[in-house]
Amino acid sequence: MNDKQKKPQKLKARLPRGFVDRSAADIRAANEMIAKIREVYEHYGFDPVETPLLEYTDALGKFLPDADRPNEGVFSLQDDDDQWMSLRYDLTAPLARHVAENFNEIQLPYRTYRAGYVFRNEKPGPGRFRQFMQFDADTVGAPGVQADAEMCMMMADTLEALGIKRGDYVIRVNNRKVLDGVLEAIGLGGDDKAAQRLNVLRAIDKLDKFGPEGVSLLLGPGRKDESGDFTKGAGLDAEQIQKVLFFVGIKDYAESAAQLADLVAGTSQGVEGVEELNFIGSLVAGAGYNSDRIKIDPSVVRGLEYYTGPVYEAELTFDVTNEKGEKVVFGSVGGGGRYDGLVSRFMGQPVPATGFSIGVSRLMTALKNLGKLGQNDVIEPVLVTVMDGDVEAMGRYQRMTQELRASGIRAEMYQGNWKKFGNQLKYADRRSCPIAIIQGGDERAEGVIQIKDLIEGKRLSGEIEDNATWREARVAQETVPEAALVAKVREILAAQAEDRRRAADGK
């Protein structure tokens, strides 16, 4: 028997499916974008709030615990007191819990915004992640649709603040009450028809995916997909299907408004919904937001199962090239609506609320396509090299570094193996450092510093063919008194910035 212990296997580094690591460039781009969004929200009088990543599962609303494990759509764990907790699925349900729990302390209407990660325990795929960031704004305690109109205007202002010009976006507005009126008008009113109404809502939510023909099947007998799987339909007859498809197929509200009003006439919900749509249209037009920016559009169907009144969606209308090389419209980057029932679940009394959510990652992709994000490249740090490793020398190099930082210049002292000076310059090159600061014993004795312009040096190196010429040229390297360190570094950085500006203008 061999008593020799087996060598432990090396742990394999692997990223969980549906999750991504974020680079410095992505983080900075997101921060840049979020700062611009936050500024618009603040100008509208909204204040930040933050809720935790974990909530009790029953508080999330959309998903309730299964018999054994509440894992349908959410990541869940059991607390030490046997209560199920889940990573938040969105930012709205946690806000509803926060409002209900602090109802006596907060000031209504409560106007708030928050950004954060949300988690979906769903099968990942191309562009579909299990963790992603949202940026929400909500007004709780405002029953009038003027609050919804303001949300739409704020969405438009946010997109323009991010550099998306008019004509490249539209905020589309619908109303759940109008659809409820349509359903009542075709005989699907009453509690006994609730399940069938839900099937209708789920069918029309597939409009973007399956088109009118596919939705017609889902509204009727059912639909078989390419794999042969059959989805049972809502069981509507041909006339009922035609009226539902008419509603969600309206492209020009002004042309169809009278016909829609006739369809829902006699239904309290439908009449109220049409009035609300008309009121929102008048409010935004009166504030200078014409239909090229905010448009009444009954074809907005996403979220109708969830929302209780106005529904709105921010859509980018310009073309992009997808992974197959096809030109496609970019589409939705955010949406929201009125959700009067969510806070009420905790309160036992009506609490009106409306809000919208921006998909940060998707909007970032759009802004990069437009060249509106990440254009102000972060300058890598000036590198203070290390020529001597004694305590006195190290302290001197660190003082130089701190002097640069105190002057607002990004800087770092080399922290690797200082004995191999060539490695320091290789590090600076890989890091794209703009400048290297060099002071050996000879320079210290003279009270001077060598400052090497690495950007200019790299450019000129392509014009010099032999080492002798290089040594004679002393390419892009100057010796200055120690007291001139900051001034000279600033001068070189300014010259580099001017070169970048000229290069950008010459494109």
Side-chain angles (χ1 to χ4, degrees):
M1 183 176 177
N2 187 2
D3 292 332
K4 186 177 180 181
Q5 290 186 344
K6 291 183 178 180
K7 185 177 180 180
Q9 287 190 338
K10 184 168 63 175
L11 183 65
K12 183 180 179 181
R14 61 201 190 280
L15 186 69
R17 289 189 312 125
F19 295 85
V20 294
D21 293 325
R22 300 171 69 215
S23 68
D26 282 342
I27 293 169
R28 286 176 179 136
N31 289 344
E32 178 187 342
M33 186 180 82
I34 287 171
K36 292 177 180 178
I37 298 172
R38 181 182 292 113
E39 185 175 3
V40 176
Y41 292 0
E42 290 277 353
H43 282 165
Y44 269 73
F46 286 71
D47 293 316
V49 71
E50 186 172 284
T51 60
L53 296 177
L54 283 164
E55 296 279 347
Y56 285 118
T57 304
D58 58 1
L60 294 179
K62 189 172 182 180
F63 299 97
L64 298 176
D66 294 336
D68 299 318
R69 180 172 174 78
N71 60 359
E72 182 64 33
V74 295
F75 291 99
S76 302
L77 57 91
Q78 205 162 14
D79 200 357
D80 55 5
D81 60 359
D82 296 330
Q83 295 196 60
W84 281 105
M85 298 191 299
S86 298
L87 287 171
R88 61 192 180 195
Y89 184 87
D90 63 13
L91 298 178
T92 309
L95 176 69
R97 188 271 309 156
H98 170 78
V99 170
E101 196 168 10
N102 300 278
F103 198 74
N104 294 328
E105 285 75 41
I106 62 175
Q107 176 65 48
L108 295 181
Y110 184 47
R111 297 157 64 81
T112 182
Y113 68 85
R114 60 230 169 274
Y117 284 109
V118 298
F119 303 85
R120 307 282 171 92
N121 189 5
E122 299 168 349
K123 185 178 180 180
R128 187 181 184 90
F129 301 102
R130 287 172 163 174
Q131 174 185 328
F132 52 94
M133 184 177 289
Q134 292 183 335
F135 202 150
D136 286 17
D138 295 81
T139 298
V140 180
V145 293
Q146 61 267 27
D148 302 279
E150 183 184 57
M151 285 290 176
C152 295
M153 292 187 283
M154 190 162 75
M155 288 178 78
D157 288 353
T158 297
L159 294 179
E160 292 190 15
L162 291 166
I164 300 172
K165 67 179 186 293
R166 294 179 193 180
D168 278 348
Y169 76 89
V170 65
I171 312 301
R172 303 190 298 139
V173 189
N174 194 5
N175 197 308
R176 164 67 187 271
K177 293 177 183 177
V178 182
L179 177 58
D180 286 343
V182 172
L183 296 181
E184 185 180 343
I186 64 173
L188 295 187
D191 293 341
D192 60 322
K193 301 287 187 180
Q196 194 173 13
R197 285 198 302 273
L198 184 59
N199 286 334
V200 171
L201 289 170
R202 289 174 176 169
I204 65 176
D205 198 37
K206 301 292 193 299
L207 188 62
D208 286 349
K209 189 175 182 180
F210 298 143
E213 291 184 6
V215 171
S216 179
L217 293 172
L218 290 173
L219 290 171
R223 178 183 180 275
K224 183 182 290 187
D225 64 20
E226 295 174 356
S227 69
D229 289 340
F230 182 77
T231 302
K232 186 178 179 181
L236 304 187
D237 62 33
E239 184 180 359
Q240 290 173 314
I241 293 172
Q242 186 273 326
K243 290 180 178 179
V244 172
L245 289 179
F246 159 74
F247 170 66
V248 298
I250 292 173
K251 298 299 181 184
D252 190 320
Y253 180 72
E255 287 185 2
S256 305
Q259 194 175 351
L260 179 60
D262 288 341
L263 176 59
V264 299
T267 69
S268 58
Q269 283 283 83
V271 170
E272 186 177 334
V274 168
E275 288 176 351
E276 288 181 355
L277 281 180
N278 294 336
F279 189 32
I280 290 174
S282 298
L283 284 174
V284 297
Y289 295 76
N290 297 326
S291 59
D292 61 332
R293 300 170 72 189
I294 300 176
K295 178 183 179 184
I296 305 300
D297 185 351
S299 68
V300 178
V301 296
R302 290 181 184 172
L304 285 175
E305 180 184 337
Y306 175 75
Y307 294 113
T308 59
V311 182
Y312 29 90
E313 188 167 46
E315 184 178 283
L316 303 186
T317 56
F318 58 85
D319 290 341
V320 295
T321 303
N322 66 12
E323 61 274 7
K324 298 178 182 178
E326 303 166 332
K327 285 283 187 181
V328 295
V329 175
F330 196 91
S332 175
V333 292
R338 181 160 288 276
Y339 54 96
D340 287 351
L342 199 55
V343 182
S344 306
R345 293 191 310 119
F346 300 97
M347 302 293 296
Q349 65 185 65
V351 181
T354 188
F356 71 86
S357 178
I358 290 175
V360 172
S361 297
R362 183 164 174 78
L363 186 51
M364 268 182 58
T365 300
L367 294 175
K368 287 177 179 178
N369 269 281
L370 288 173
K372 300 292 185 182
L373 203 60
Q375 298 304 299
N376 299 321
D377 292 337
V378 173
I379 305 303
E380 297 300 337
V382 171
L383 181 68
V384 177
T385 62
V386 176
M387 303 290 285
D388 301 296
D390 60 89
V391 173
E392 192 276 330
M394 286 289 190
R396 186 171 60 255
Y397 296 135
Q398 193 66 69
R399 282 196 301 275
M400 291 181 193
T401 309
Q402 293 301 109
E403 185 180 353
L404 291 167
R405 290 169 178 163
S407 301
I409 297 169
R410 194 173 182 219
E412 68 173 85
M413 187 179 91
Y414 186 71
Q415 300 292 347
N417 183 358
W418 63 271
K419 294 182 180 180
K420 296 182 179 179
F421 185 71
N423 286 350
Q424 299 190 49
L425 294 183
K426 288 179 183 177
Y427 171 83
D429 182 57
R430 289 193 299 268
R431 189 91 156 85
S432 298
C433 294
I435 297 171
I437 309 299
I438 304 168
Q439 188 186 59
D442 293 342
E443 288 87 4
R444 183 169 69 256
E446 297 177 25
V448 297
I449 299 171
Q450 289 188 45
I451 300 181
K452 191 175 185 66
D453 182 339
L454 299 175
I455 305 299
E456 183 69 1
K458 186 180 292 186
R459 184 183 72 81
L460 293 178
S461 66
E463 302 173 6
I464 298 176
E465 297 179 353
D466 58 77
N467 289 338
T469 308
W470 174 274
R471 285 192 296 271
E472 290 173 7
R474 302 280 295 172
V475 175
Q477 185 166 309
E478 296 185 55
T479 300
V480 301
E482 290 180 348
L485 170 64
V486 170
K488 191 62 185 178
V489 167
R490 278 184 172 156
E491 179 186 322
I492 294 172
L493 291 175
Q496 292 175 353
E498 179 63 18
D499 287 344
R500 288 193 300 275
R501 186 190 65 77
R502 288 176 178 172
D505 291 344
K507 287 183 179 179

